[in-house]
Amino acid sequence: MGNMDSETRNEVCNVLINVIFDSCLFPYESKDSKVTWQRAFSYRSISIEEESKVSTDGRLSLSRMLSINSKLMGLFDKNPFNFIVFSTSNLPMIVPPRPWIDRGTGGPLYTTSQHEIIRKMMEFRAVRLNEEMRARITSQAQARPVFDALNQLGSTPWVINEPMLDVLKDVFGRSGNSESRGLLEKLEIPMRHDTFDIPDFGREFGIGIKKEDVDVEKFRSYAKKKAEAIKMRNESNSLWCWMQYRVVLADHFRGQTLFFPHNMDFRGRVYPLSPYLSHMGDDVNRCILKFAKSQKLGEKGFDWLKLHCINLTGTMKRSSVADRMVEAERLIPLMLDSARDPLNGQKWWMSSDEPWQTLAACVEIENATRYGSDVALFPSQLPIHQDGSCNGLQHYAALGRDNEGGVQVNLTQSDTPNDVYSDVAQRVEQKRQQDEQSNGEDCDVARKLREALPQNVPRKVIKQTVMTTVYGVTMYGAVLQIKRQLKAMDIPGEDAAIFARYLARKTFASLNDAFTSSMALKDWFRLIAKGSSDLMKTVEWITPLGLPVVQPYCKLVERKGKLILAPVPMKQVDAFPPNFVHSLDSTHMMLTSLNCAQRGITFAAVHDCFWTHANSVDQMNEICRQQFVSLHSQPIVEQCSEWFKKTYLTPKMAKILPEKDFQKYSEIFTANIEHGDLDIEKVKDSVYFFS
């Protein structure tokens, strides 16, 4: 409040004191419709707002909610705070973080040892995730590669990309000007809350008019418009504040070397501790950071820089590297114009899928061109990305050795990148044509769908379902996903529901055709998870790097007068296939990280997107492929089967269970999956495996 005069400061303090200390009782309606009493802040400092809602059947309802008194908010608007206060544990570090050591102890901060290597999650607060993990570590050396990988990721030094921050601040500064709305929406910068026009009852119907005197239909229309406007304003305000945090922090850390200590979730997937400013964020977050250490571009670095810029635009995903390079050379003048005059030039960068990162690449390219014929000597700091091609299905195809599926997710060499979503869409279209020509049970639906959707089944209709297959999407979820896409194509709701059920079945059937062994593996994963739940045990396993994983989907129940944590069967079953695959993709990332560190290569990652300097992309790609082959050369499925038998079918269980049941669970935990004939070594020659 340092910028307020004493009178205003006293007024704000008095209001805040009322907010904090003065309370009263007010009635509210509970779930059982009985009136109970609840303590709340004084009506002098808060108010109750009524929000009008119109239901789908046209009925109007009013809901009440508490909000801060408008006079207090007005004082804050007139007298903004000089500072935003952040917890130091949520900020980047300006010294290398203290390392994680054996059993996941240690941790980044030097002033406390109270660190959690496994992130706490509110939905799992009944389960002590860190204690459960440490209780299953049987030796000092177990899981050391996991902790080493976290340390390596946390020790990568970063700096603020100051030219990009300057442009971002310029654009963000226009968020209070309604005339800039078009520009800001294109660049995904939220508008400030006071730029939204909220319908007013007096303006709409006239001063002095009472609500009961207004036509019901007109009031419903007004109430609906007002509710939508308030919703948009509140959502934009939330995003605006989030953007403000990042801009303020980036400005604060100008000129300093930053480090982002990492921890992980219970599956081993890693995340920076800083939630506001880190490379693991959206387009804006990534554009304002670059490596602190520079590396000369070398022989191929400039080509990788141009290719990176084209990849970010998202316009040539199905094109070969050679074609992308031709396009990059053609667009060099537009890239240079974007870098030199981003807001008043031709603005080519704004048409990109990732405009802010594209602009950062343009700036780096423009700086490199200043070296002329010595461009190889340019010291580059911009991270170059290599992204996995539907990475979850890549791991499934490798586990099941599905050759056909492996081709579609680029585990084998091809001249252009294959697209699994287009392949599945083509298979669904073929099945639709077969149904149209047959007299089977799906004949009528297929023909009716042809009338509503005469073109081939679009890729976008089935993309989300294919993408979320690895995350355990159910038939019910797939129907909802496809129905949403069909409705967006103006297919009526009732018809969309019928067609969505049909297309969901055909999509799963098409996935089974291409990923036969993979889908059989997924079904087996669900089966063994159900088996462990039936035995009243949570699903657990150990990753190839030795990290114990325990699924925390449990609830407190009473058994013989004691409270125990019992597994929630449905969640245990649904979550195991995606969680197991996530633990594998994290293992692959960690192996790549450790091997890059061994060769002195700068490395960062956002899950299945790997980053390094332009001059070391080829080396990182080689390591990435070698480690994937090494990981999947292990008998992972067989090891999983043996682990479940050893863990759940102990000698003690053999005495408790009837022999018939013990044999049943032994068969459940045995993997009887017929593998395909994919040669995993072919991954080493695949250009588009990560690209």
Side-chain angles (χ1 to χ4, degrees):
M1 298 185 190
N3 59 331
M4 296 183 184
D5 57 58
S6 59
E7 184 178 345
T8 304
R9 186 159 54 245
N10 290 337
E11 187 180 354
V12 172
C13 286
N14 287 333
V15 176
L16 285 173
I17 288 170
N18 285 332
V19 172
I20 296 169
F21 295 109
D22 195 5
S23 61
C24 66
L25 295 173
F26 76 101
Y28 82 103
E29 192 163 278
S30 62
K31 290 181 180 178
D32 57 3
S33 300
K34 294 178 181 178
V35 174
T36 57
W37 293 96
Q38 181 80 4
R39 296 192 67 81
F41 300 130
S42 165
Y43 290 147
R44 293 200 302 261
S45 51
I46 65 170
S47 61
I48 295 181
E49 285 186 355
E50 287 188 349
E51 180 182 4
S52 304
K53 291 185 178 179
V54 181
S55 62
T56 53
D57 59 2
R59 290 182 298 175
L60 177 69
S61 63
L62 295 176
S63 61
R64 291 183 172 184
M65 55 186 166
L66 296 175
S67 66
I68 297 176
N69 188 286
S70 58
K71 291 182 179 179
L72 177 60
M73 292 304 297
L75 287 170
F76 286 145
D77 286 339
K78 291 178 183 177
N79 303 275
F81 292 102
N82 284 334
F83 304 100
I84 300 177
V85 180
F86 297 91
S87 168
T88 53
S89 61
N90 289 331
L91 297 180
M93 297 181 69
I94 56 174
V95 294
R98 196 174 63 157
W100 298 105
I101 55 177
D102 291 346
R103 297 182 180 274
T105 57
L109 297 182
Y110 292 83
T111 54
T112 177
S113 59
Q114 301 301 313
H115 297 298
E116 303 282 2
I117 194 166
I118 296 181
R119 302 165 76 89
K120 283 186 175 179
M121 304 177 75
M122 285 303 295
E123 59 264 43
F124 309 134
R125 58 184 176 275
V127 182
R128 294 174 294 182
L129 296 170
N130 287 274
E131 287 81 353
E132 294 291 343
M133 179 270 290
R134 292 186 180 114
R136 288 162 173 77
I137 290 181
T138 56
S139 70
Q140 287 290 103
Q142 184 177 343
R144 276 181 182 169
V146 173
F147 310 140
D148 288 343
L150 288 174
N151 294 333
Q152 185 276 320
L153 294 165
S155 63
T156 298
W158 300 81
V159 292
I160 299 300
N161 191 336
E162 296 185 20
M164 287 304 304
L165 177 59
D166 291 336
V167 178
L168 177 61
K169 286 181 67 178
D170 186 342
V171 175
F172 186 55
R174 306 181 190 192
S175 61
N177 183 357
S178 298
E179 294 179 359
S180 300
R181 189 181 299 274
L183 171 67
L184 270 64
E185 286 179 352
K186 185 183 293 187
L187 299 176
E188 297 185 356
I189 302 296
M191 298 297 294
R192 212 168 63 194
H193 70 92
D194 54 4
T195 61
F196 288 83
D197 182 32
I198 307 299
D200 177 75
F201 185 87
R203 288 203 319 261
E204 190 81 12
F205 301 108
I207 305 297
I209 300 296
K210 295 181 180 180
K211 189 182 296 183
E212 52 268 25
D213 296 332
V214 177
D215 178 75
V216 174
E217 287 301 322
K218 288 183 178 180
F219 183 77
R220 282 177 178 162
S221 176
Y222 155 77
K224 185 176 181 180
K225 284 194 299 183
K226 182 174 181 178
E228 289 174 351
I230 290 174
K231 181 174 181 288
M232 287 180 62
R233 180 198 64 189
N234 293 346
E235 288 174 353
S236 185
N237 184 58
S238 177
L239 294 171
W240 187 92
C241 292
W242 180 249
M243 183 68 71
Q244 171 93 321
Y245 294 161
R246 292 181 284 173
V247 171
V248 166
L249 282 173
D251 212 29
H252 173 76
F253 285 114
R254 275 180 186 268
Q256 300 188 65
T257 300
L258 304 178
F259 298 88
F260 299 114
H262 286 60
N263 64 1
M264 57 188 172
D265 63 19
F266 68 91
R267 306 165 299 183
R269 275 203 144 189
V270 307
Y271 304 85
L273 268 61
S274 170
Y276 307 111
L277 182 65
S278 77
H279 60 292
M280 190 174 288
D282 61 11
D283 188 33
V284 169
N285 258 35
R286 298 181 184 191
C287 86
I288 54 177
L289 290 167
K290 60 182 180 181
F291 292 135
K293 295 180 179 178
S294 62
Q295 292 283 344
K296 294 177 181 178
L297 283 178
E299 184 181 350
K300 294 184 179 179
F302 193 44
D303 284 344
W304 277 115
L305 196 53
K306 291 181 286 187
L307 189 60
H308 173 65
C309 188
I310 288 295
N311 288 345
L312 289 169
T313 66
T315 58
M316 301 192 72
K317 293 179 180 178
R318 302 295 304 277
S319 302
S320 67
V321 168
D323 289 343
R324 295 182 206 182
M325 287 304 302
V326 171
E327 182 68 359
E329 292 297 335
R330 186 183 72 82
L331 293 172
I332 284 289
L334 289 175
M335 295 178 188
L336 299 180
D337 173 78
S338 295
R340 291 164 183 164
D341 195 2
L343 300 179
N344 298 306
Q346 298 184 58
K347 305 175 187 176
W348 170 79
W349 64 282
M350 293 186 186
S351 61
S352 169
D353 282 0
E354 307 281 359
W356 289 102
Q357 291 177 85
T358 302
L359 179 59
C362 291
V363 171
E364 193 82 349
I365 289 169
E366 199 273 337
N367 289 334
T369 57
R370 296 180 185 180
Y371 276 63
S373 60
D374 294 327
V375 69
L377 301 178
F378 171 69
S380 178
Q381 295 173 268
L382 191 76
I384 305 300
H385 308 169
Q386 295 288 278
D387 205 349
S389 175
C390 203
N391 192 236
L393 281 174
Q394 287 181 326
H395 283 282
Y396 262 125
L399 285 171
R401 294 298 193 272
D402 273 316
N403 189 64
E404 197 169 351
V407 169
Q408 293 307 317
V409 292
N410 296 297
L411 295 188
T412 59
Q413 171 60 9
S414 60
D415 295 332
T416 58
N418 291 308
D419 179 39
V420 66
Y421 310 116
S422 297
D423 177 72
V424 172
Q426 290 172 7
R427 291 173 184 269
V428 172
E429 177 61 28
Q430 290 170 3
K431 293 181 186 299
R432 176 168 72 156
Q433 292 174 4
Q434 291 170 3
D435 289 337
E436 287 174 318
Q437 296 164 9
S438 71
N439 292 316
E441 59 181 12
D442 290 329
C443 173
D444 291 339
V445 177
R447 290 174 180 173
K448 192 174 179 182
L449 176 59
R450 179 67 66 188
E451 295 174 8
L453 193 70
Q455 71 269 39
N456 290 344
V457 175
R459 175 182 183 271
K460 66 180 180 181
V461 169
I462 54 85
K463 179 180 178 181
Q464 188 179 11
T465 301
V466 175
M467 186 186 301
T468 52
T469 297
V470 69
Y471 304 116
V473 68
T474 61
M475 177 63 74
Y476 176 77
V479 169
L480 291 179
Q481 291 169 346
I482 293 173
K483 181 182 176 182
R484 195 179 305 120
Q485 293 294 333
L486 294 176
K487 290 179 73 174
M489 299 172 69
D490 297 325
I491 294 177
E494 291 185 6
D495 288 343
I498 296 170
F499 298 152
R501 286 192 289 272
Y502 171 79
L503 289 172
R505 285 191 290 108
K506 299 304 175 183
T507 299
F508 281 127
S510 299
L511 276 167
N512 277 318
D513 291 344
F515 296 87
T516 306
S517 298
S518 302
M519 295 301 102
L521 266 174
K522 180 185 166 187
D523 292 340
W524 179 66
F525 287 152
R526 292 178 61 86
L527 185 64
I528 59 178
K530 185 178 185 307
S532 63
S533 296
D534 290 345
L535 294 170
M536 288 297 291
K537 301 286 187 181
T538 58
V539 178
E540 59 182 83
W541 67 98
I542 293 180
T543 72
L545 290 180
L547 178 70
V549 178
V550 182
Q551 289 198 154
Y553 313 107
C554 303
K555 63 180 177 181
L556 285 168
V557 297
E558 186 179 348
R559 291 284 189 275
K560 297 181 180 179
K562 295 181 179 180
L563 279 178
I564 64 168
L565 279 173
V568 180
M570 183 176 293
K571 288 187 177 180
Q572 292 283 344
V573 172
D574 289 344
F576 177 51
N579 285 343
F580 186 78
V581 172
H582 278 317
S583 72
L584 290 181
D585 72 41
S586 177
T587 297
H588 175 228
M589 184 278 295
M590 290 179 177
L591 287 168
T592 304
S593 169
L594 293 169
N595 280 271
C596 282
Q598 190 176 30
R599 293 201 201 179
I601 297 171
T602 301
F603 180 85
V606 180
H607 301 315
D608 60 348
C609 183
F610 299 169
W611 300 11
T612 192
H613 282 99
N615 72 341
S616 52
V617 175
D618 288 314
Q619 290 175 276
M620 184 189 73
N621 277 338
E622 179 187 349
I623 293 169
C624 165
R625 287 154 176 77
Q626 286 175 343
Q627 295 310 311
F628 187 88
V629 170
S630 175
L631 173 64
H632 284 285
S633 293
Q634 300 179 41
I636 294 174
V637 175
E638 291 75 13
Q639 289 171 350
C640 179
S641 174
E642 291 303 314
W643 163 261
F644 270 78
K645 288 179 183 178
K646 182 180 72 173
T647 304
Y648 298 106
L649 300 180
T650 60
K652 183 178 179 181
M653 290 299 294
K655 295 177 182 178
I656 296 173
L657 289 174
E659 184 178 349
K660 184 178 179 181
D661 288 346
F662 190 87
Q663 183 61 33
K664 180 188 78 171
Y665 286 112
S666 180
E667 291 175 2
I668 286 173
F669 294 146
T670 300
N672 294 313
I673 309 297
E674 185 178 346
H675 287 66
D677 56 1
L678 173 69
D679 181 1
I680 199 68
E681 290 288 333
K682 290 183 177 180
V683 170
K684 294 179 179 179
D685 300 320
S686 173
V687 173
Y688 304 105
F689 167 62
F690 268 62
S691 65

